[in-house]
Amino acid sequence: MIRRLLPALLLVLAACGGIATEESAVPNSNDRPGLSTTTPTVQTLGEDSVGEPAVDEDAVSEIAERTRPLGSALLSPLPAPASQPIGLVVESLGISSAPIIDVGVESNGEMEIPGATEIGWYRFGPTPGDPGSAVLAAHIAFNGRDGVFRDLDEIEVGAIVEVAYEDGSSKRFRVTEIAQYAKDELPVGRVFAKEGTPELTLITCGGDFNRSLRSYSNNVVAVAEPIDD
Amino acid sequence: MKKLITLLTAALVMAALAVPVSAQEEARIHLIHGIPDTPVDVVAGGDVVFGDFQFGDTQDLSALAGQTLVGLQVRLAGTETVAIDAGDTALPASGNYTIVAHLNAEGVPTLAVFENDTSSIDAGEGRLIVRHTAQAPAVDVKANGAVAFADLTNPNSVQADLPVGTISAEVVPADADEPVVIGPVDLPIEDGSALIVYAVGSLDAGSVTALTESITGLGTAPTAVNTGNSPVGTSVPVWAAGLGALLLVAVVAGRRSVVEVRS
C-alpha cells in the first residue's frame, strides 16, 4: 500500500539526487497454520538528499495541530465486567419475572434463542444500560408453547420495562419505539450496535405464521431507553 | 541546487497537505512510543511537531494520512540528540496502520510500521495480535499455559481470532518456559475487537513490558432473530408454569379475571 505512493515521490526526489529506500525484510517466523505473520516495513525516502530540510512554517504548525494525543498504551488492569441481566419485568404485558439467560450465535449465524420460558440476552453486545443496543430476544411461541414475548406486539410506547441484574440491582427503561420488520429486513446493524446511545431492544417474531416453514414472517422490535431514577 | 531542494521540499509538503478529505477519513494511523525511560520530541522539517512524548503514549496521526513528513526525526526530549533519523517519511493515504518507535533486537531505536488487519471478525470472537518490538531474542507467547505463537522475532507480528473471554498470556524465551519475560497478564478478547499487544523495552536493561492498542467495530452481527416455530396458542402463557410456585401464585392472582373466564 505504501508502495503506491512511491512512484510519484521517487520522481520528485530523483531531481534532488540520491534516494535511499530501506525496507526491513524479515523472514516469516511462523508457519503454523491459522496464524499469520506480517512483516513491517519502514519507508525512508531521500534520507541522504535532504541535508538541511527547509519547510514551510505554516505546514509544520499545521502538522502539529493535526496530530493529537490518545493517552497511554500501558497495560491497565481489566475493568470489572458489567453485571449480567438475569430477569425481566414488563407489567403491562403480564411478564412479572421472566428469567434471562446469556446467549450467543448459532453456527448458521443467527442469534441463539432459548426455550419458550426464557429470554436470551445477546452476550456479545452491551449489558442493558451500557452504550449501544442491548438485545433481549424471546420466542412468541416455541414447540407448541406460547413464549415469553407472546404479547410483545401489544406493548405501547411509554411502557416501563425493568431489568434485574445478577448483582441484585435493577434498572428501568421506557419504550420509545415499536416496529415490525420483514425478517430479512431486520436492521441488524442498529439492533446489535455496540456503541451509541444506551438502548434496550426487545425482539420476538410476528406477522404471519407459515406452517410449512414453521416460521413467522416478521420481527417485532421494541426499543426502550433507560430512565434516570 | 540547495534552492531547488528547498522549493521541492516545500512543494512536497504543501502538495501532501492537499490530500482529499475522503482519503484521510479512510486512514487511521497511530504512533506509539515503545522505548521505556526515554521521553522524546518528534521532529519534522527541523521543528518539533510534538514534544515530550512519553513512553507508552499514543499519538493519532490519522489527519496526516497521505502526507510526507520531511526529515522525520525522533530526538531525546529537549535535546538535539537524534535517537531515530527516519528521513522523509510518506504516511499511507488510507488503511489502518500503527507506527511504533521501539528498540530493534540489538537495542537500537527504530521505527516499525505495522498494517493492522481490520477484516471482519466472526460473531463471538475477537482478534489477538502480538508484536515483538523489544530488544530480546525470539520468544514464545503462551495463552492459558500453552504456546499459542511460537518463535516470534523482532519486528514481527502474529495473530489469531479467538473466542470471547479473558486469556492469561505469558511471554517466554522461544522453546523455554523460563525466565518469564512478560506476564502473566490478563488480556480481554472482546467481540469484534482487535487487541494488539506490543512487547517493548530491553531485556538487557530489565525493562521489557507490554503496551496495548485496540481496534473496535470489526465484528459481525447475528444475521437473523428467529423466535417462533409454532402458532400462538390461547392459554395463559406456559412460561409462567416454569417458574417457582410463589411466582405462579402471583401471576395467577394478577390474571384472576382471565383465569375465571376460562374456567
Side-chain angles (χ1 to χ4, degrees):
Chain A
M1 123 98 261
I2 295 176
R3 276 167 225 285
R4 274 194 280 125
L5 297 170
L6 284 175
L9 286 168
L10 292 177
L11 280 176
V12 178
L13 288 169
C16 306
I19 297 168
T21 302
E22 285 179 14
E23 207 175 307
S24 61
V26 184
N28 191 325
S29 68
N30 199 322
D31 46 13
R32 181 179 301 211
L35 305 178
S36 66
T37 304
T38 56
T39 302
T41 56
V42 179
Q43 299 290 345
T44 307
L45 304 178
E47 193 168 354
D48 301 328
S49 63
V50 188
E52 297 172 66
V55 188
D56 185 293
E57 286 296 325
D58 292 338
V60 169
S61 63
E62 189 170 347
I63 289 171
E65 281 168 16
R66 288 166 69 177
T67 74
R68 63 193 175 95
L70 293 175
S72 178
L74 293 170
L75 265 180
S76 51
L78 301 188
S83 188
Q84 291 196 5
I86 57 165
L88 186 76
V89 180
V90 188
E91 286 187 6
S92 66
L93 298 183
I95 299 174
S96 54
S97 180
I100 296 174
I101 64 168
D102 61 310
V103 297
V105 281
E106 302 282 3
S107 55
N108 65 2
E110 295 180 5
M111 182 177 169
E112 187 185 347
I113 309 294
T117 60
E118 292 167 321
I119 297 168
W121 164 59
Y122 186 63
R123 68 172 178 269
F124 302 136
T127 295
D130 282 355
S133 169
V135 177
L136 297 180
H139 284 109
I140 179 172
F142 180 68
N143 290 352
R145 306 171 74 185
D146 286 354
V148 183
F149 278 175
R150 184 192 72 172
D151 299 327
L152 186 64
D153 64 338
E154 292 170 16
I155 201 167
E156 292 177 352
V157 168
I160 302 300
V161 174
E162 186 167 348
V163 175
Y165 299 86
E166 199 173 22
D167 64 2
S169 66
S170 65
K171 194 183 291 283
R172 301 200 315 148
F173 299 78
R174 180 183 288 114
V175 173
T176 56
E177 191 183 325
I178 301 153
Q180 281 209 25
Y181 302 95
K183 281 273 180 69
D184 58 1
E185 289 172 7
L186 181 69
V188 291
R190 181 192 165 182
V191 165
F192 293 98
K194 291 174 186 292
E195 293 167 355
T197 311
E199 289 180 338
L200 176 64
T201 302
L202 310 177
I203 307 184
T204 190
C205 287
D208 299 324
F209 181 70
N210 183 319
R211 286 182 181 273
S212 56
L213 294 177
R214 292 173 60 78
S215 176
Y216 288 82
S217 60
N218 294 350
N219 277 123
V220 175
V221 179
V223 178
E225 290 178 353
I227 301 171
D228 295 323
D229 59 4
Chain B
M1 184 60 188
K2 188 183 170 191
K3 178 73 175 170
L4 179 62
I5 292 173
T6 303
L7 282 174
L8 281 170
T9 312
L12 257 183
V13 171
M14 294 314 288
L17 288 173
V19 167
V21 171
S22 58
Q24 292 171 11
E25 284 173 351
E26 290 169 16
R28 179 268 199 200
I29 305 170
H30 285 182
L31 172 65
I32 294 180
H33 184 335
I35 306 172
D37 308 317
T38 313
V40 298
D41 295 335
V42 175
V43 174
D47 290 327
V48 174
V49 180
F50 47 94
D52 203 24
F53 190 41
Q54 299 285 332
F55 168 64
D57 281 356
T58 303
Q59 193 81 7
D60 186 359
L61 307 184
S62 304
L64 302 177
Q67 299 183 19
T68 297
L69 298 177
V70 176
L72 179 65
Q73 290 183 334
V74 176
R75 297 180 185 166
L76 301 185
T79 77
E80 301 286 311
T81 307
V82 177
I84 303 171
D85 191 353
D88 293 356
T89 303
L91 297 179
S94 63
N96 193 315
Y97 291 84
T98 304
I99 304 170
V100 188
H102 71 105
L103 299 175
N104 69 11
E106 288 73 46
V108 179
T110 187
L111 294 182
V113 182
F114 293 96
E115 183 168 12
N116 302 315
D117 179 1
T118 57
S119 60
S120 68
I121 302 172
D122 289 347
E125 294 188 348
R127 182 165 295 150
L128 177 64
I129 302 173
V130 182
R131 292 173 176 164
H132 187 332
T133 50
Q135 180 271 308
V139 297
D140 288 349
V141 180
K142 288 181 167 181
N144 296 334
V147 173
F149 304 115
D151 206 23
L152 178 62
T153 55
N154 183 330
N156 281 295
S157 180
V158 286
Q159 65 178 63
D161 289 359
L162 304 170
V164 166
T166 301
I167 62 169
S168 175
E170 271 184 322
V171 175
V172 294
D175 298 322
D177 289 331
E178 291 185 336
V180 173
V181 181
I182 301 174
V185 290
D186 285 342
L187 300 175
I189 306 301
E190 295 177 342
D191 183 69
S193 292
L195 175 68
I196 310 174
V197 182
Y198 298 87
V200 295
S202 163
L203 193 63
D204 292 347
S207 63
V208 173
T209 185
L211 299 178
T212 61
E213 171 181 33
S214 67
I215 300 171
T216 59
L218 308 180
T220 308
T223 53
V225 180
N226 279 316
T227 38
N229 68 357
S230 60
V232 173
T234 55
S235 60
V236 171
V238 278
W239 58 264
L243 300 178
L246 196 63
L247 279 174
L248 189 59
V249 169
V251 168
V252 171
R255 289 193 170 240
R256 180 163 297 150
S257 60
V258 177
V259 173
E260 280 168 0
V261 167
R262 284 177 183 165
S263 60

